[in-house]
Amino acid sequence: MSRIETLAVHAGREDFAELGVHAPPIDLSTTYPVRDLDEGTASFDALVGGAASAGNSIYARLHNPTVDRVEKAIARLEGTEACVGYGSGMAALTAMLMDARSRGGHVLVVRPLYGTSDHLLASGLCGIEAEFVDAGEIALRKRADTALVIIETPANPTLDLVDIRAVVAAAGHVPVLVDSTFATPVLQNPAELGAAYVMHSATKFLGGHGDVIAGVVCCSEERAKPLRVVRAATGALMHPLGAYLLHRGLATLALRVERAQANAEDIARRLAAHPAVAKVFYPGLGTTRNAHLVGEQMRGPGALMAFEMAEGYGAAAAVMAHVGLITPAVSLGSVDSLIQHPSGLTHRVVSEAAKTATGITPGLLRLSVGIEAVDDIWADLDQAMRRAGMSQVA
Ligand SMILES: *Cc1c(COP(=O)(O)O)cnc(C)c1O
């Protein structure tokens, strides 16, 4: 039972026959009775020290069975020993940075990144020193106190790909964190390529229905322990109801990603031929950095793309105003198509210099293609661009 389509449906459900259930139980307890004090203290010590589970869960900030279940499922999908769940993708990254701080505090980062990740790193909020470098400079910029290398591939919002194997080789003994949110475990497994940590904003494709905010870090059991310690100490928990919905969403992950990707390949081709569009950034068209990694590190080009409106900001804003079926909103990886303006919204917190250097221009739109009928998505996009053209002329 190792194929992703099967794992997505069955992982984290191995004990159902024994429990006599057909859907994951939801445990909303905040606290758990301790009748055997010796067992209670031993469990407390184990959980505070970062153990995945113990005889008694003690308190929900230390352990929750429903969260534990979806963590096990996602670890199976990524092929890692462990997975640690958080209340959001940003809480997951924060825990990673607090851990990095305790191991040295210097972090090498390759741009572009999700806007808030960039902001968290650049702001120094977590007490780490982030140095932004090109992927090719990592070996050169590594220091004795470098605790982590962070990359995002495909990167948000330009869809640039980063060669994970090359970065891992350059990082040497320094662990590499790959934000693999855009790829999902269906299209890419960074741990197989040597990444020590695989992060997902589970809010996106893993949940898949736009109703859960959650984050995960997948890694070895040894690396997971300090991440659980940070989670327990800071309270950055995934809620069990969110964990349940996330687990429910996982069942259709492979189907959703395949369908959304097939739609995206079609939409990207049509956009590239549209007179209102100056350029489409999509790995499947070969128009992003390292697009040759599709078919190697990535099993497919994914369901996200960005495109530059020939008439700039005004045209991009008009498309946002005129889409109907497609929701003009931030976020991505939902069953429905979403379009947004990186420069004005998700990447607003990124410095102007970094925006310019990474191609986040005023005319750029990012499209997360959903699983609707592709002709309906296209018809909506086409009418929005037509009306954008008219409102430009008027
Ligand atoms: C959304 C996102 C995040 C942040 O996740 P939240 O769940 O919104 O906190 C981090 N990285 C990427 C690539 C994202 O798309």
Side-chain angles (χ1 to χ4, degrees):
M1 197 184 85
S2 60
R3 285 175 228 264
I4 186 107
E5 296 85 347
T6 307
L7 281 177
V9 176
H10 290 279
R13 298 163 190 258
E14 294 81 358
D15 58 347
F16 281 9
E18 189 188 325
L19 291 175
V21 300
H22 187 64
I26 304 174
D27 187 334
L28 295 173
S29 300
T30 54
T31 192
Y32 296 87
V34 177
R35 298 204 192 281
D36 177 339
L37 191 54
D38 288 342
E39 194 212 14
T41 51
S43 294
F44 189 92
D45 285 349
L47 293 171
V48 167
S53 61
N56 189 316
S57 292
I58 307 290
Y59 187 57
R61 186 154 40 67
L62 300 174
H63 181 258
N64 175 275
T66 310
V67 174
D68 188 328
R69 188 178 279 289
V70 77
E71 287 174 339
K72 287 202 170 82
I74 296 171
R76 294 284 307 277
L77 296 182
E78 280 298 2
T80 55
E81 280 175 350
C83 167
V84 186
Y86 293 89
S88 69
M90 293 318 301
L93 182 60
T94 299
M96 282 299 310
L97 297 184
M98 295 185 82
D99 175 62
R101 189 181 172 197
S102 73
R103 293 185 294 101
H106 179 243
V107 178
L108 289 171
V109 190
V110 178
R111 274 179 167 142
L113 298 172
Y114 178 71
T116 308
S117 302
D118 191 300
H119 176 62
L120 180 64
L121 287 156
S123 68
L125 263 175
C126 289
I128 50 101
E129 180 195 345
E131 187 179 345
F132 294 92
V133 295
D134 279 342
E137 295 175 317
I138 290 168
L140 208 69
R141 301 292 188 90
K142 217 168 39 176
R143 307 192 317 217
D145 63 342
T146 306
L148 190 64
V149 173
I150 300 180
I151 61 173
E152 189 175 300
T153 182
N156 189 351
T158 58
L159 282 303
D160 280 343
L161 304 188
V162 184
D163 188 332
I164 298 171
R165 267 189 230 273
V167 167
V168 167
H173 68 281
V174 179
V176 174
L177 166 68
V178 177
D179 184 335
S180 194
T181 299
F182 277 32
T184 83
V186 178
L187 299 180
Q188 166 175 297
N189 298 109
E192 276 178 10
L193 307 174
Y197 301 99
V198 184
M199 179 187 140
H200 290 279
S201 166
T203 311
K204 315 295 168 53
F205 288 99
L206 300 188
H209 296 74
D211 53 10
V212 183
I213 290 208
V216 295
V217 178
C218 301
C219 56
S220 68
E221 177 54 27
E222 188 192 343
R223 293 191 194 278
K225 282 195 169 65
L227 296 178
R228 293 191 196 104
V229 170
V230 172
R231 179 177 64 184
T234 61
L237 308 172
M238 185 188 292
H239 193 275
L241 286 178
Y244 172 84
L245 288 170
L246 179 53
H247 204 168
R248 190 181 210 267
L250 283 186
T252 54
L253 178 67
L255 269 179
R256 287 186 284 104
V257 169
E258 281 161 24
R259 171 58 178 266
Q261 174 175 264
N263 283 351
E265 292 186 272
D266 194 352
I267 296 284
R269 274 193 298 271
R270 297 199 212 187
L271 274 176
H274 199 285
V277 175
K279 183 166 181 194
V280 180
F281 299 87
Y282 184 59
L285 292 180
T287 51
T288 67
R289 203 186 290 188
N290 289 321
H292 67 274
L293 293 170
V294 175
E296 297 174 27
Q297 127 177 339
M298 258 185 112
R299 289 182 279 276
L304 275 130
M305 70 193 67
F307 58 99
E308 180 77 38
M309 294 299 291
E311 299 297 328
Y313 180 85
V319 169
M320 292 278 288
H322 292 305
V323 283
L325 181 76
I326 303 169
T327 305
V330 300
S331 201
L332 56 105
S334 185
V335 285
D336 57 320
S337 298
L338 299 167
I339 197 164
Q340 69 104 10
H341 185 261
S343 168
L345 298 169
T346 51
H347 289 68
R348 201 164 178 74
V349 287
V350 176
S351 73
E352 285 304 323
K355 273 193 222 172
T356 308
T358 51
I360 303 170
T361 58
L364 192 74
L365 289 167
R366 188 193 71 194
L367 178 65
S368 173
V369 179
I371 64 169
E372 303 97 332
V374 68
D375 287 339
D376 292 335
I377 302 171
W378 178 252
D380 189 39
L381 210 47
D382 189 42
Q383 67 77 28
M385 288 195 292
R386 217 184 301 267
R387 290 175 68 185
M390 291 192 298
S391 62
Q392 288 281 297
V393 173

